[in-house]
Amino acid sequence: MLKVTKFGGSSMADAGQYRKVREIVSSDPHRRVVIVSAAGKRDSSDHKITDLLYLCYAHIQYGVDCNQIFEMIRDRYLQIRDELGVKLDLESEFAALKDRLDHKAISQDELASRGEYFSAKLMAAYLGFQFVDAALWIQFKMDGTVDQEASYKALKRLVRGNGVVIPGFYGVMPDGRIHTFTRGGSDITGALAAAALDADVYENWTDVSGILMADPRIVENPQPIPEVTYDELRELSYSGAQVLHEGTIFPVREKGIPLNIRNTNAPNDPGTMIQESFTSNQDDQRPITGITGKKDFSIISMSKRGMGNEVGVLRSMLTVFERHGISVDFTPNGIDNVSVVVPTEAVSHNLYNILAEIQQEVKPDSLHVHDQIAVVAAVGRRMAFRPGISGQIFAALGQAGINIRMINQGPDELNIIFGVDNKDFAEAIRVLYNSFVK
Ligand code: ASP
């Protein structure tokens, strides 16, 4: 059995967190492959090492020295090393790095990747594991996507049964230059390692006990979701409140590897298990897996008498949005009317052109725009074929005096989506949560 474990920035922030990581890794002999992020914030006023590295690079570009920032970075790693009593010469590596930086002989990506590099060097020495540089196996193609086949092959050759620590976030381009993923990309490194090695599980250790049923800024102490399918997760990620980098899912899903989100600060919590499907008995469980949503949508609605019998009206309307490069979120419709729901910011700068084109090409009887709309989604695989769920949702909202501006259910019955006024957004989420969870 093999568990690939990835520890995020908050799990790498100081010596105390390193100790927790060692505790977690050594408590299970299956945890033999460890991927680490750069050191994150120790508290809310602290800085992420990756942010400081980018800042350093910007200083050098503008001809300003970055000695102070560089020292903050170096001192953080030296402090962790010394507190842990690890014997490792980091001083000369930092000196060589500073020299390249001063001579502008390092790219932004390579400099940004050094946070992960030093984290992994230190963690490998602390765990007594082998350090395996991501530059030796993660291979990007010229278009910036990962060459999975070549990368998987390379990692399989490098990992032979013993414990290894791999830095997240970067790999190499075909010409050997270091290239990074987008921010938060260590999650992807972990997923690629799990897929390459056909792991039994990919554990992603962070600072929350899994994905929460609702945004904790809206609902007080929301419960974590014990089990969620990839499809549900996709729906839940809609609000942008992401626990994982969006590129994480594909490599593990493709190989059918379950993904387990865990909390380094509460290692006994089971966290959230994400997989294709679950066989557990579902009838006794709550129908809603999670509640999510976003504010600031516009509903552009038009009506045209007789349009229910006319061919191509919807297409003409959607073509206008397509021409402006706007992705449409929902299109709720009646017999002789249709609405297009889009994020307000996508249309705000060219709204009058869009309306003029709809007027000209569709010739509607009326055309209106409603702003300040929030979209709320109740997501759950157990809602399908279960009568009464939407009744419960709308009754709860009705009792709370919340007016519903739009309703939409996906054909797979995985979600029920509705629009409310922005001002009712938080209350709608709280009302739903309390109606299904308490
Ligand atoms: N250290 C990188 C960042 O802050 C990558 C990661 O932590 O996943 O974005």
Side-chain angles (χ1 to χ4, degrees), residues 37-38 48 50 116 169 183-187:
S37 277
K48 287 182 174 188
T50 311
E116 271 65 15
F169 192 38
R183 297 298 305 268
S186 299
D187 283 343

Side-chain angles (χ1 to χ4, degrees), residues 417-436:
I417 293 173
F418 54 90
V420 294
D421 287 330
N422 267 350
K423 68 172 176 39
D424 293 329
F425 175 66
E427 188 57 16
I429 290 187
R430 278 193 288 268
V431 163
L432 271 198
Y433 182 85
N434 292 334
S435 147
F436 283 94

Side-chain angles (χ1 to χ4, degrees), residues 78-371:
L78 296 187
Q79 190 186 347
I80 297 174
R81 180 196 65 183
D82 295 342
E83 276 182 41
L84 297 174
V86 171
K87 297 263 162 299
L88 184 67
D89 173 21
L90 292 178
E91 281 85 347
S92 43
E93 290 216 49
F94 273 109
L97 182 61
K98 184 66 174 41
D99 192 52
R100 287 177 68 199
L101 193 58
D102 288 341
H103 290 91
K104 290 195 179 180
I106 188 163
S107 69
Q108 175 170 267
D109 274 16
E110 183 171 355
L111 184 62
S113 75
R114 294 304 86 182
E116 271 65 15
Y117 173 84
F118 285 115
S119 280
K121 278 254 153 151
L122 204 45
M123 186 56 86
Y126 184 50
L127 294 177
F129 280 15
Q130 184 198 342
F131 169 78
V132 170
D133 199 338
L136 296 177
W137 69 276
I138 293 206
Q139 299 170 27
F140 288 96
K141 298 190 231 171
M142 277 321 277
D143 65 3
T145 59
V146 173
D147 183 340
Q148 287 192 4
E149 219 185 295
S151 305
Y152 290 1
K153 230 193 207 162
L155 186 62
K156 268 192 239 159
R157 269 201 307 268
L158 289 165
V159 175
R160 303 216 176 275
N162 297 333
V164 298
V165 180
I166 300 169
F169 192 38
Y170 69 95
V172 283
M173 292 299 280
D175 60 5
R177 272 179 306 128
I178 298 270
H179 181 65
T180 59
F181 291 106
T182 50
R183 297 298 305 268
S186 299
D187 283 343
I188 309 180
T189 311
L192 290 168
L197 302 171
D198 290 306
D200 295 275
V201 62
Y202 170 32
E203 292 180 340
N204 194 297
W205 291 81
T206 169
D207 53 4
V208 284
S209 289
I211 300 173
L212 301 173
M213 282 193 72
D215 186 338
R217 288 165 302 186
I218 298 176
V219 172
E220 206 183 314
N221 274 328
Q223 295 193 7
I225 303 172
E227 296 179 339
V228 61
T229 66
Y230 289 120
D231 287 336
E232 287 175 308
L233 186 66
R234 170 100 181 97
E235 303 273 345
L236 287 169
S237 309
Y238 175 71
S239 67
Q242 285 193 343
V243 183
L244 291 167
H245 188 292
E246 60 180 0
T248 313
I249 303 297
F250 183 73
V252 280
R253 186 173 190 178
E254 198 181 35
K255 291 264 184 133
I257 299 169
L259 202 168
N260 189 194
I261 299 187
R262 300 287 293 266
N263 188 351
T264 301
N265 305 320
N268 294 325
D269 288 355
T272 298
M273 191 59 105
I274 309 165
Q275 42 187 72
E276 199 61 48
S277 59
F278 292 91
T279 47
S280 53
N281 178 16
Q282 308 201 337
D283 295 341
D284 53 343
Q285 293 172 27
R286 35 177 107 87
I288 286 191
T289 302
I291 303 156
T292 181
K294 297 197 266 210
K295 290 213 261 194
D296 296 328
F297 282 84
S298 294
I299 303 183
I300 299 164
S301 15
M302 67 112 184
S303 66
K304 186 176 183 188
R305 268 185 301 283
M307 110 176 212
N309 303 322
E310 211 177 299
V311 176
V313 179
L314 188 56
R315 184 187 50 74
S316 311
M317 175 130 170
L318 292 178
T319 303
V320 174
F321 290 90
E322 186 181 346
R323 206 181 297 136
H324 286 269
I326 296 164
S327 160
V328 167
D329 281 46
F330 311 101
T331 51
N333 68 311
I335 307 283
D336 281 343
N337 51 55
V338 61
S339 303
V340 170
V341 183
V342 285
T344 303
E345 73 160 337
V347 289
S348 51
H349 57 288
N350 48 10
L351 183 63
Y352 292 106
N353 291 340
I354 292 170
L355 295 179
E357 287 169 38
I358 295 174
Q359 196 71 50
Q360 197 182 357
E361 291 169 39
V362 187
K363 303 198 172 43
D365 297 320
S366 72
L367 184 59
H368 297 287
V369 182
H370 303 279
D371 284 332

Side-chain angles (χ1 to χ4, degrees), residues 6-80:
K6 181 254 165 180
F7 293 89
S10 56
S11 308
M12 304 295 297
D14 59 23
Q17 294 299 86
Y18 269 63
R19 289 194 189 99
K20 290 183 193 168
V21 170
R22 184 158 82 171
E23 211 36 60
I24 291 164
V25 173
S26 60
S27 70
D28 186 340
H30 302 306
R31 294 186 175 127
R32 281 179 284 116
V33 174
V34 177
I35 287 88
V36 293
S37 277
K41 293 183 183 190
R42 289 162 289 191
D43 54 58
S44 55
S45 62
D46 199 11
H47 307 290
K48 287 182 174 188
I49 290 294
T50 311
D51 291 336
L52 295 178
L53 288 164
Y54 280 118
L55 196 58
C56 231
Y57 187 81
H59 273 68
I60 296 291
Q61 291 317 294
Y62 284 100
V64 181
D65 85 60
C66 71
N67 296 345
Q68 237 183 324
I69 306 167
F70 194 84
E71 261 169 44
M72 283 167 78
I73 298 167
R74 194 194 53 201
D75 291 353
R76 179 92 86 91
Y77 285 103
L78 296 187
Q79 190 186 347
I80 297 174

